[in-house]
Amino acid sequence: MPVTTTLPDLICRFQDDPPSTSNGVLGVISHGYGSEPPSLHNGFPALPIAVPDTAATGRVEVWRSSRDVVSGFHDELVYAHDGRYLFCGGRIRHDAAYAATTKNAYLRAFELLDRLGYPEIARVWNIVGGITGQAAEQVATDRYGEFCQARAQVFKQRGLTVKDIPAATGIGGHDDHTTIYFLATRSREVIRIENPRQIPAYEYPERYGPEAPCFARATYVAAEGDSRFADLFISGTASILGHRTVHEGDIERQTRTTLENIAELVSGKNLRNHGIDAELTLHDLDCVKVYIKRPQDVETVRQICSAALGPKSEVVYVIADICREDLLVEIEGFTSVARPDIETVN
Ligand code: 3EB
């Protein structure tokens, strides 16, 4: 007999207004120009990012748990956790010692994981102000390259291998900060997923930067114990085949290629190759965030995405620079995956 349940343990929603109470709220990301530092707002972590929403009102991204949540500050990092997931966010102001400052911020975040006991980082968002602009130090790379180098060094220092890296987004922000937020988990069953259409980002050749970006194309946190849903975090995905940008200057084809990349990533064939018994399509995604570089492309991208995505997907379209100058769009997603013996009601 199928067990009927209403809600997954971890939920992502895009809403017009922030929640009015902290009940079950792990974190709230607001879109705009990111002038405010992270805070505890009504008891939940509130993190403005310098990535404006294309909807005039501006929506917020809410990560919610079905469990009891405890929140707090760790230095300047704001966090909340529920026993399964830890949400944490913070930002650093760009300064002359950018690499060292970034490393320190990441190390403080790892300290919090150690202290609260969430050993696996499942998903990280890195919003890097002026991502394709000049690096802080006299290095032969842009800001993104400098960021990747700092991140790679911290991961190495922490002993993270390619089996431990998170799904990620690395995107431009419209301010002079690097804002980081992430979800870490106590689950020991985290599967890193790669995409057969792309080489692993951590193997990108040196032409893209001195250290390759350390992230997996997706992570899958298996359902375990009493949790009835697995969680699938899809990294920021772009119009990249192998390691090359394709369809330079062509927003329609970049958008279609990006969606095809995600479709292949979540396909039954690819998931089964990673030992996951699930088969998904673009219609199954709960939440999709679409980063668009040029405001004049928003309508084109929206049309292509809404035709490809299903009615259950919540989608926000935001404006951001992508980490390579020749990329015009990047798409990420999240979905909870019900165990096969679970029947869901919406
Ligand atoms: C790419 O596939 C596009 O540096 O954390 C996507 C997701 C991208 C994450 C990151 C970068 C990052 O390489 C860019």
Side-chain angles (χ1 to χ4, degrees):
M1 275 294 284
V3 188
T4 301
T5 185
T6 46
L7 288 175
D9 303 295
L10 179 68
I11 298 166
C12 177
R13 279 279 148 76
F14 298 121
Q15 309 177 172
D16 289 336
D17 298 303
S20 50
T21 75
S22 62
N23 284 350
V25 180
L26 286 167
V28 176
I29 292 97
S30 55
H31 301 99
Y33 290 90
S35 52
E36 297 293 316
S39 64
L40 283 178
H41 174 85
N42 290 338
F44 58 75
L47 184 70
I49 58 171
V51 175
D53 191 351
T54 57
T57 49
R59 279 151 299 179
V60 293
E61 173 182 323
V62 181
W63 289 92
R64 205 177 260 289
S65 163
S66 61
R67 306 169 179 219
D68 290 337
V69 167
V70 175
S71 64
F73 269 105
H74 175 75
D75 294 334
E76 263 117 70
L77 297 169
V78 67
Y79 68 85
H81 62 118
D82 72 351
R84 179 166 167 80
Y85 280 106
L86 163 70
F87 173 94
C88 176
R91 68 176 196 182
I92 56 163
R93 180 187 288 283
H94 291 177
D95 60 13
Y98 178 67
T101 314
T102 303
K103 276 190 256 182
N104 279 332
Y106 254 100
L107 285 170
R108 280 205 306 279
F110 277 116
E111 235 171 63
L112 181 66
L113 306 195
D114 291 345
R115 182 190 293 186
L116 297 177
Y118 291 83
E120 295 264 3
I121 309 190
R123 178 66 165 101
V124 183
W125 290 261
N126 303 287
I127 296 112
V128 179
I131 192 163
T132 57
Q134 219 184 333
E137 290 168 89
Q138 296 300 318
V139 286
T141 178
D142 58 5
R143 175 77 61 176
Y144 178 60
E146 202 177 24
F147 169 80
C148 286
Q149 198 163 29
R151 173 175 54 181
Q153 285 170 7
V154 169
F155 284 11
K156 211 167 287 169
Q157 193 173 326
R158 290 282 311 191
L160 263 64
T161 71
V162 298
K163 292 188 193 73
D164 311 303
I165 53 179
T169 292
I171 202 82
H174 296 269
D175 67 352
D176 204 23
H177 287 89
T178 291
T179 304
I180 293 168
Y181 61 106
F182 61 85
L183 285 160
T185 181
R186 276 187 190 156
S187 167
R188 298 317 296 242
E189 224 188 307
V190 180
I191 301 176
R192 272 77 194 174
I193 304 171
E194 287 299 322
N195 191 327
R197 287 163 58 93
Q198 305 182 303
I199 72 164
Y202 53 81
E203 288 175 3
Y204 282 169
E206 242 183 88
R207 77 169 83 148
Y208 302 107
E211 295 266 6
C214 309
F215 68 96
R217 299 297 177 186
T219 48
Y220 178 87
V221 181
E224 53 165 18
D226 61 353
S227 70
R228 298 155 299 186
F229 288 82
D231 300 308
L232 179 66
F233 300 96
I234 300 166
S235 292
T237 305
S239 182
I240 294 174
L241 295 176
H243 58 76
R244 291 196 168 79
T245 299
V246 295
H247 311 310
E248 206 173 315
D250 185 336
I251 186 63
E252 288 188 29
R253 291 168 79 193
Q254 283 207 11
T255 307
R256 287 186 210 288
T257 300
T258 301
L259 290 167
E260 284 159 18
N261 282 347
I262 296 176
E264 176 80 18
L265 182 72
V266 303
S267 68
K269 183 158 180 271
N270 194 45
L271 294 180
R272 276 192 298 275
N273 278 339
H274 288 83
I276 299 163
D277 178 23
E279 180 157 11
L280 302 176
T281 72
L282 292 177
H283 282 241
D284 294 309
L285 305 183
D286 291 335
C287 270
V288 177
K289 191 182 272 187
V290 183
Y291 300 89
I292 303 165
K293 180 169 176 173
R294 306 183 303 205
Q296 67 265 31
D297 291 333
V298 170
E299 277 323 306
T300 307
V301 175
R302 193 196 301 275
Q303 273 174 28
I304 296 168
C305 290
S306 35
L309 298 166
K312 88 158 193 176
S313 305
E314 287 188 8
V315 195
V316 291
Y317 299 89
V318 295
I319 302 295
D321 283 342
I322 320 296
C323 62
R324 294 183 190 175
E325 280 290 9
D326 53 12
L327 288 171
L328 301 173
V329 62
E330 185 169 309
I331 305 179
E332 67 183 34
F334 169 74
T335 190
S336 42
V337 185
R339 267 186 357 212
D341 56 332
I342 302 287
E343 204 169 79
T344 54
V345 289
N346 280 320

